[in-house]
Amino acid sequence: MPETKYQNENQLTSEQANKSRLVTMCRWVVEVINGRFKRDFRLLRNIHSNRALSNMFDYFKIAAALLNSYHVVVDNNVHARDFIDIINERINIPNRLADIVITNNYNRRRAHFEPMRAEMPQFNDFPRMTEEELTLFALGSYQLKQARSYYAEHVHPEGAFTIELARNIPLEEIREIAGRDVLLIRGRIQSRHVASRTYYVYIAADPTLRGRLAIPQYYCSCPIGKRTIGCCSHTMSIVWYMGFARYENILVPAEGLEDEIITLDDV
């Protein structure tokens, strides 16, 4: 089972968050098959009386035989071998950026960050990435899909897709993040579940490198934000926009739909 937070803690530790990611990767195929059972067989998604339970296992065996015979087989991701290598490479890497952010209380340091603008040289220094590199960075495609949705929510007129650049942070703190000079940016992402909550995303990027290696450290203030295996959707939304989406013609899902809603005052 995925890990749970310790009492009185707001986040999983890096070790807990990494273990939870490993569990969800292994459980994915189980959830896919369970979804197929419920989607394709109405009998298996309905509530059953106790009298019918004696035959339930037979129903499942028949359904499983039909799925095995006629349904597309669930296969490994094409990047499965790369995922395993990345897990072995990063599973014991501590999240130094998280420790620095929490110790120095960066979330409350407004004067040390300034909004990024297109004319800033650092804006174009952020490493450009391909979709394949983003998939390897996240260890899957789920966070990529979520990133597009987060972007759509925050680019609306009422949204607040804020990306800031670290300016007045001591150089020794910056070098402590990855052992060298890096570009440190901060993003603010509105929580989908709690309207009053904003998550802070910190990303350390090395402009001299390419691909996922160009982002040695990252941290989000959400419950799973300390993980070093893959990343949360909030982190991916910033990386996806800075490293990929702004170079592409990205269509916002349901763009303009809110303008088509008819209120009672319009009737």
Side-chain angles (χ1 to χ4, degrees):
M1 292 293 292
E3 297 282 329
T4 57
K5 294 179 291 186
Y6 290 130
Q7 188 174 5
N8 299 324
E9 292 292 336
N10 296 322
Q11 289 184 294
L12 298 175
T13 65
S14 293
E15 182 180 3
Q16 288 177 315
N18 286 342
K19 286 182 178 179
S20 293
R21 181 62 180 131
L22 296 181
V23 170
T24 56
M25 291 180 72
C26 293
R27 281 184 57 87
W28 173 82
V29 66
V30 177
E31 300 300 335
V32 168
I33 298 302
N34 284 340
R36 290 181 178 180
F37 275 122
K38 294 182 178 181
R39 181 195 64 192
D40 297 339
F41 302 97
R42 184 173 60 181
L43 180 67
L44 301 181
R45 62 174 178 263
N46 290 339
I47 298 175
H48 293 269
S49 64
N50 291 337
R51 183 177 298 179
L53 289 179
S54 59
N55 299 318
M56 181 57 64
F57 189 58
D58 292 332
Y59 299 155
F60 267 102
K61 288 194 291 185
I62 294 171
L66 291 172
L67 289 176
N68 289 337
S69 297
Y70 300 107
H71 210 289
V72 177
V73 177
V74 177
D75 200 358
N76 284 333
N77 189 290
V78 294
H79 301 295
R81 184 69 256 174
D82 294 323
F83 289 166
I84 294 173
D85 292 339
I86 293 171
I87 290 171
N88 292 331
E89 170 193 325
R90 296 188 59 86
I91 191 167
N92 294 318
I93 292 180
N95 197 323
R96 291 189 296 271
L97 180 54
D99 296 335
I100 293 172
V101 168
I102 295 171
T103 300
N104 296 285
N105 204 11
Y106 280 3
N107 288 355
R108 295 184 178 274
R109 287 194 183 184
R110 295 186 178 273
H112 290 74
F113 293 85
E114 64 173 322
M116 293 193 75
R117 298 181 299 275
E119 63 270 18
M120 287 182 172
Q122 294 87 350
F123 192 76
N124 293 320
D125 285 344
F126 193 92
R128 189 169 180 175
M129 303 175 72
T130 64
E131 281 194 277
E132 181 178 0
E133 290 169 338
L134 290 171
T135 300
L136 293 175
F137 178 75
L139 294 184
S141 60
Y142 174 78
Q143 285 77 14
L144 275 174
K145 297 174 183 177
Q146 292 295 306
R148 184 187 294 266
S149 297
Y150 272 109
Y151 172 74
E153 292 176 5
H154 287 74
V155 296
H156 287 169
E158 295 79 13
F161 198 73
T162 305
I163 300 177
E164 301 168 308
L165 174 68
R167 274 298 194 189
N168 300 314
I169 294 179
L171 188 60
E172 56 270 17
E173 291 184 18
I174 296 293
R175 288 177 175 171
E176 188 179 349
I177 295 172
R180 57 187 184 275
D181 292 346
V182 292
L183 181 69
L184 179 62
I185 66 173
R186 178 174 73 178
R188 302 183 198 178
I189 302 294
Q190 173 68 44
S191 170
R192 280 186 166 182
H193 308 290
V194 182
S196 60
R197 182 170 299 165
T198 298
Y199 293 124
Y200 288 85
V201 177
Y202 296 85
I203 298 170
D206 187 342
T208 64
L209 299 177
R210 294 181 57 84
R212 64 180 184 84
L213 297 178
I215 305 178
Q217 291 278 316
Y218 46 90
Y219 165 68
C220 177
S221 59
C222 73
I224 60 171
K226 289 184 179 180
R227 67 169 49 155
T228 57
I229 294 177
C231 66
C232 66
S233 298
H234 311 110
T235 299
M236 175 52 69
S237 65
I238 301 296
V239 175
W240 175 82
Y241 171 73
M242 290 292 294
F244 175 76
R246 64 192 176 101
Y247 299 103
E248 306 291 332
N249 185 22
I250 299 297
L251 298 178
V252 176
E255 185 175 14
L257 182 61
E258 68 277 4
D259 298 330
E260 303 299 329
I261 296 177
I262 300 176
T263 64
L264 291 177
D265 296 335
D266 298 327
V267 178

